[in-house]
Amino acid sequence: MQQLGRRRPASLTTVAQSLRDQGARCARTALGHLTPADRDTEVAWHLVGRESTRRPRRGR
């Protein structure tokens, strides 16, 4: 049984990506200014393990 005040980790994951990099690449694509590096490079992302859907508190 779960103790009051203590929550079990939710074992969630989030995909972390650079929206700035993706937006810049999207703009270059829309304007027809893709570089060879844009065509050959995959968009960077990584998984982040989370215990909650809440945002982390500052200073933690």
Side-chain angles (χ1 to χ4, degrees):
M1 185 169 192
Q2 191 173 344
Q3 293 178 343
L4 293 178
R6 299 192 109 192
R7 293 186 178 169
R8 196 176 72 206
S11 300
L12 303 171
T13 56
T14 298
V15 176
Q17 5 183 356
S18 170
L19 296 180
R20 183 193 181 286
D21 292 346
Q22 288 183 1
R25 185 176 182 171
C26 182
R28 288 191 301 273
T29 300
L31 295 172
H33 296 141
L34 278 180
T35 66
D38 288 326
R39 291 184 186 98
D40 295 337
T41 305
E42 293 184 21
V43 177
W45 61 272
H46 63 278
L47 291 178
V48 177
R50 299 177 58 104
E51 294 180 2
S52 170
T53 57
R54 294 183 180 190
R55 291 180 184 235
R57 292 182 189 171
R58 289 186 179 193
R60 281 192 153 189

